[in-house]
Amino acid sequence: MRNLIDKLGSEWLFCDGGTGTLLQDKGLAGGELPERWNVTRPDDIYDLYTGYLNAGADIIATNTFGANVLKYGDELEDIITAGVKIADKARRDTARCDAFIGLDMGSCGKLLEPMGDMSFNEAYEIFATTVKAGAKAGADLILVETMSDLYEVKACVLAAKENCDLPIIVTCVFDTEGRMLTGGTVEAAVALLEGLKVDALGINCSLSPADMYPVVKRIVEASSIPVVVNPNAGLPVVENGKTVFTVGPEEFLFQMEEIAKLGVAVVGGCCGTTPAHIKLLHDNISKMPFIPVVTKNKCVISSGAASVEIGGGNPTVIIGERINPTGKKRFKQALRENDIDYILGEGIKQEDQGADILDVNVGLPEIDEPDMMERVVKELQSVTNLPLQIDTTDISALERALRIYNGKPMINSVNGKMENIEAVMPLVAKYGGVLVSLTLDEDGIPDNADDRIRIANKILKAADKYGIPRKDIVIDGLCMTISSDTHSAVTTLETVRRATDELDCNTILGVSNISFGLPAREIVNSNFLTMAITSGLTAAIINPGCEPMMQSITASNALLDRDPQCSRFIERNADYIPYAKLAAGEAVQGADAGSKGSQVQGTSSSNTLFDCVRRGLKDGAVAATKTELESKDSMTIINEELIPALDEVGKGFEKGTVFLPQLLMSADAAKAAFEVIKTSMAGEKQEIKGRVIMATVKGDIHDIGKNIVKVMLENYGYEVIDLGKDVPPEVIVETAVREDIKLVGLSALMTTTVVNMEETIKQLKAAKPDCKTVVGGAVLTQEYADMIGADFYAADAMATVRCADKVFGA
C-alpha cells in the first residue's frame, strides 16, 4: 500500500464527514461527551466508521476531537486507544486497508497568553499527551481540525512533530472574509503551516461549500502544499429538538465540484455531512481531472493576524530598525532596567510611521539575552499585528524566540560560515521562517560582487540540504560606508542586481550603514535607497521616522508601478507643503511634520490614557491614569478617555481593522485603568449599567468566547456573573431568578451542545419572562438563534455589548 505522503497531492483523496450529528441520531444526549462512546458504546462508533469507509472515505477521523487530558484525565489513553482500535477493525472488516486512520485533534478549549491564561508550553503539553497516546495506539496520521487560533495551531503542530513521526494535516476555521477568530488571515495561516512543514492544510467547519469558495480560492493561491476542504452541510437549524443541516448530498456535491476545480487535493465534510454526502462526493469527484499542486514562489512573513509578502511586484518592504541597542543610549538603558513599555513604544511608533516588519534585537553583554528576547517577542506580539524580524547572533535566544513566536518570522541572520550555517539552518528548518543571508564567510566581507554572489550560492545550496525553500532566502548584499571605501556602494548595488537577476532571490539591506561617518546622512541614505530599489531591492531595514527615507520608498513604489493608483503615495503626501511655500513662510502651522518638505519626521508615541488603552499598553494605562487623577475627577477620565478609547477599538473590531488580540489587550489596559480609578473612588458609589449572567452551556467545556465577552462587558460598565462552563439549564435559570437578571449570555462551540442552549432559553422564558437571552459561538447563526428562541444573536464580543446596551438602555 502506498503511504499517505505519496498519495497527497498526486491523486484525489476523500475525508469522512460529520461525527456529532450522526451520534446524535444514535442517541447522544445534549451535553454528553461523545468521545466516551469509544469505551461505552463501541458498536455505534464502529458503525460510524464503517459507514464512511463504505462511502469511499480514504481518511477517517477517530472519535477523539475533544479528547484531551483537561477533559478526560486518567481516562484519556483508554478513550484514544479504543477510538483507534475500533477504526482499525472497521477498516479491516470493510476491506479498506488502503484507508488511513487520522488521530482527530481539536482545540483544547482555552485562549493562549496573552489573550487568555494558558501558556504556550501548557498547550503544548496537553497536545503532546494526546499525540503520544494516538501514535502508541496505531494512528496513521495526525488530523488537527477546527482550529481558530494560529498560536494554538503552532503548539499543536510542534507537539505532533516532536512526539511522533506521523504525517500531519491541519484545517482551520475561517469566516467568509478569510479570517480566524483571533484575526489570522488565510495567508498568515498558510505561511505558518508551510513553515512548520505540515503535509497538508486547509479549511473545515462553519461554512457551506458555497460560502467557502472564495476562501478556498485564496488558500489554493497561497499554498504550495496539498489543500484540504471539509465544509459543513449548510446552516444548522433545529427541528423537533434536534440539530439538522440544510444542504443535502446532491446540492453539497454540486457546490463541491466547483471547489474541486480550484486545485484542491483532499475533500470531505464536517458538521451535518453523512455517508450519503461522502459517497456522492467520492463517486463523482474521483472522475474529475486531478490538478497537481503548484509551488508558489512567494516569500511571506507572518504574525498571528497578518502577513507581508516580499517581492513579487509588491511595494518595497519597510523593516523598522529602532528596536536595537546599537548606538541608542536610551534603548540600552531600557534593556538594563527591564523597561518593556519603552521597547513596546518604539515598536508602536514605527508601526504608526509605516513599518511593515519590526526588527527585534535586544543583545547586550550584561543582560540575559535569551530571556529578554523571548519576553520582548511575546510582549510586542500582544500590542502589534506586524510580523517581527528576530535579530540575534545568540543561538539560544534565536531558538527561544522561534519557538514561542506566533507566526512565520524573518530571521536575521545566517552567513557563509559553515559553523553558522550548521547552527542556524536546523532551527529555520524546524520552526519555519524567512532567512536573511549575509554575503560574508570565514574570509570576511568580500570587496567585490563576484565573491558575494559566490557566498550567496553557497548559502542557497546549504538551504536546499536543510529543506528550506529558496523562496524563503533573502540575500543581504551588505552596505559598507562610502566614507572609508568610495566604491562600496557600487559593489553593494551590483550584488543586489545580480542576486535579483541571476539567483532570482529577494534582497535586503541595512541602508543607513552606507553613510556612516558622513554629514547629512539622510541625503546619502535616501538617494542610495532609491538606487538600490531600482537595482532590485525588495526589503529595506531603515528608520521609518526618517521622512527622506520614507519619501524615497513611497515615490519609488509609485514610479515602479508597485502602488496601485499611487494610493499609498497620495495618502502619505496629501498635506505635502512644497519647498517654495516653506521658504516663503506659507506653511500652515500644525501641518503634518511628515509632509513638510525636507523635514525629518520625529513623532513620538503618545502617552495619553486614550492612546495607552487604544494600543493595549497595560502599564502605560496605569501610569497615565495616575497622572490624569492629579488634575481630573474620575468620571471625567472615564467619559473623556476610557470609554472613547474602547469605543474606537470596538468600532475598529466591527469594521475588521482591529482584531481579537488587540481588542482583548485594549480591554485589559482599560481594566487596569479602571482598577486605579476604583481605588481612588474608595467609598464612592460606583455606577453599574446592569448585571448580566454569562455561561457556556451544559456539555461544552470551551469557554474562549464566553471569557472574551465577559472582559468586554465589564469594561463597558456591566457586572458579570460568570457561571463558568458546562452549566446545566437549571443552574442558569435559578441564578437568573434569584438575582433578578435581565440578560443572560449563552455560549456553545459544538453542534452537539446547542440543544442545551435551546433548553436553557425555554426554561428561562417559562421561569423569568422579562429576562432576555443573547447567544453566540462558532456554530451559531442569526437564523439558528431565531429558531432556538434567543432574543439576540451576537457574532462577536462587541455585538454582545451592543445587545446589553439595548436591554439596559445604556
Side-chain angles (χ1 to χ4, degrees), residues 77-99:
E77 186 167 346
D78 289 342
I79 286 170
I80 291 175
T81 300
V84 174
K85 296 303 182 186
I86 296 168
D88 185 49
K89 180 177 179 355
R91 178 171 59 179
R92 287 183 279 108
D93 290 350
T94 56
R96 285 298 314 280
C97 291
D98 59 334

Side-chain angles (χ1 to χ4, degrees), residues 450-525:
D450 286 341
D451 284 338
R452 294 187 189 184
I453 293 299
R454 174 184 55 78
I455 294 170
N457 269 309
K458 177 183 178 181
I459 293 171
L460 289 171
K461 289 177 182 177
D464 292 341
K465 174 185 173 183
Y466 284 98
I468 301 169
R470 291 199 172 198
K471 66 182 181 180
D472 285 343
I473 300 295
V474 180
I475 304 299
D476 189 335
L478 298 177
C479 284
M480 307 302 292
T481 179
I482 58 172
S483 63
S484 59
D485 178 3
T486 55
H487 192 71
S488 64
V490 175
T491 300
T492 299
L493 293 172
E494 184 182 353
T495 303
V496 168
R497 180 186 57 76
R498 290 180 59 182
T500 302
D501 296 341
E502 297 174 17
L503 305 182
D504 194 26
C505 283
N506 286 298
T507 53
I508 187 172
L509 292 173
V511 177
S512 60
N513 291 340
I514 204 72
S515 65
F516 186 77
L518 294 174
R521 294 185 65 186
E522 290 88 354
I523 296 175
V524 177
N525 292 344

Side-chain angles (χ1 to χ4, degrees), residues 528-550:
F528 173 74
L529 178 55
T530 301
M531 297 168 72
I533 291 171
T534 58
S535 296
L537 186 71
T538 48
I541 305 174
I542 65 170
N543 173 11
C546 177
E547 189 59 21
M549 299 285 275
M550 296 300 287

Side-chain angles (χ1 to χ4, degrees), residues 2 16 67 119 187-188 283 285-286 305 467 488 569 579 610 622 635 653 703-704 730 749 761:
R2 291 173 65 204
D16 58 11
S119 72
E187 293 74 19
D283 291 350
I285 288 184
S286 61
S488 64
F569 179 83
Y579 287 95
F610 177 92
V622 169
M635 292 311 300
F653 182 69
D703 58 0
I704 292 174
E730 296 76 15
L749 178 69
I761 293 170

